[in-house]
């Protein structure tokens, strides 16, 4: 059930507060998610990506499912989801892009924090949201805005 829901043509944003039992284990924080919410809770915009020491990646989607990405054959910066979801990950100089075959994508900064979600609405229309944080090291969301500049402030 959404914590906050803006479902109008002016600002179509669904903000869900989610609970994941895995995040409620004392002293265990798989993706270091210090989001400012009680232990075990996060929003559907608290999506994170982490590069492991073996150069693979782990990404938790909005449903709490963990995707593991391995380097694609003959590639230096393209990774595939080992689960077989069809998701791909592209490592860039300034962050990461997780994308699918339908034109949907999410952009993460170099710290693995979500900064953009773009969904393909139709062949010539995209819906985008942009996320900012309190500071360069924080996982606490400061604002979520859309491509028209409409903004939801968290503080």
């Amino acid at each position: 059930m959404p914590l906050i829901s803006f479902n109008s043509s002016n600002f179509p944003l669904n903000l869900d507060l989610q609970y994941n039992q895995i995040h409620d284990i004392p002293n265990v924080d798989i993706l270091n998610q210090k989001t400012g919410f009680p232990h075990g809770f996060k929003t559907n915009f608290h999506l994170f990506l982490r590069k492991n020491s073996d150069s693979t990646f782990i990404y938790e989607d909005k449903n709490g499912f963990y995707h593991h990405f391995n380097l694609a054959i003959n590639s230096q910066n393209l990774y595939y989801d080992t689960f077989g979801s069809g998701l791909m990950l592209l490592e860039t100089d300034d962050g990461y892009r997780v994308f699918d075959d339908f034109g949907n994508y999410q952009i993460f900064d170099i710290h693995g924090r979500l900064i953009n979600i773009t969904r393909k609405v139709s062949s010539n229309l995209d819906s985008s949201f942009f996320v900012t944080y309190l500071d360069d090291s924080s996982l606490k969301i400061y604002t979520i805005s859309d491509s028209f500049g409409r903004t939801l402030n968290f503080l």
Side-chain angles (χ1 to χ4, degrees), residues 1-72:
M1 179 143 230
L3 171 67
I4 299 172
S5 182
F6 295 99
N7 284 321
S8 71
S9 58
N10 293 335
F11 194 44
L13 169 70
N14 286 324
L15 182 63
D16 298 333
L17 182 62
Q18 303 166 339
Y19 175 78
N20 188 333
Q21 184 176 358
I22 292 173
H23 298 297
D24 201 15
I25 301 170
N27 302 317
V28 173
D29 203 354
I30 294 173
L31 293 178
N32 193 28
Q33 298 179 16
K34 311 286 187 233
T35 62
F37 286 95
H39 202 67
F41 288 90
K42 68 177 194 139
T43 73
N44 54 317
F45 282 86
H46 284 102
L47 305 179
F48 303 104
L49 183 69
R50 183 185 72 202
K51 188 171 188 175
N52 297 316
S53 59
D54 63 356
S55 295
T56 62
F57 288 87
I58 186 170
Y59 156 68
E60 183 182 7
D61 67 20
K62 67 180 182 176
N63 298 316
F65 183 79
Y66 290 100
H67 298 265
H68 299 269
F69 289 90
N70 288 346
L71 189 63

Side-chain angles (χ1 to χ4, degrees), residues 1-152:
M1 179 143 230
L3 171 67
I4 299 172
S5 182
F6 295 99
N7 284 321
S8 71
S9 58
N10 293 335
F11 194 44
L13 169 70
N14 286 324
L15 182 63
D16 298 333
L17 182 62
Q18 303 166 339
Y19 175 78
N20 188 333
Q21 184 176 358
I22 292 173
H23 298 297
D24 201 15
I25 301 170
N27 302 317
V28 173
D29 203 354
I30 294 173
L31 293 178
N32 193 28
Q33 298 179 16
K34 311 286 187 233
T35 62
F37 286 95
H39 202 67
F41 288 90
K42 68 177 194 139
T43 73
N44 54 317
F45 282 86
H46 284 102
L47 305 179
F48 303 104
L49 183 69
R50 183 185 72 202
K51 188 171 188 175
N52 297 316
S53 59
D54 63 356
S55 295
T56 62
F57 288 87
I58 186 170
Y59 156 68
E60 183 182 7
D61 67 20
K62 67 180 182 176
N63 298 316
F65 183 79
Y66 290 100
H67 298 265
H68 299 269
F69 289 90
N70 288 346
L71 189 63
I73 296 173
N74 297 325
S75 178
Q76 295 179 343
N77 63 346
L78 185 64
Y79 297 77
Y80 67 95
D81 182 3
T82 60
F83 182 68
S85 69
L87 290 176
M88 301 293 288
L89 182 148
L90 181 65
E91 187 174 16
T92 65
D93 290 337
D94 56 352
Y96 312 95
R97 177 185 286 238
V98 174
F99 61 94
D100 64 21
D101 291 336
F102 304 106
N104 304 304
Y105 61 88
Q106 300 166 350
I107 298 176
F108 297 83
D109 66 11
I110 58 171
H111 304 292
R113 302 175 304 180
L114 177 72
I115 56 174
N116 172 262
I117 294 177
T118 298
R119 292 187 181 98
K120 190 65 115 172
V121 177
S122 68
S123 61
N124 53 351
L125 180 63
D126 292 343
S127 171
S128 295
F129 291 99
F130 306 91
V131 181
T132 63
Y133 297 86
L134 287 178
D135 57 50
D136 286 341
S137 62
S138 179
L139 297 180
K140 295 178 182 175
I141 292 176
Y142 182 60
T143 65
I144 299 174
S145 59
D146 68 6
S147 50
F148 297 104
R150 296 172 293 216
T151 301
L152 175 65

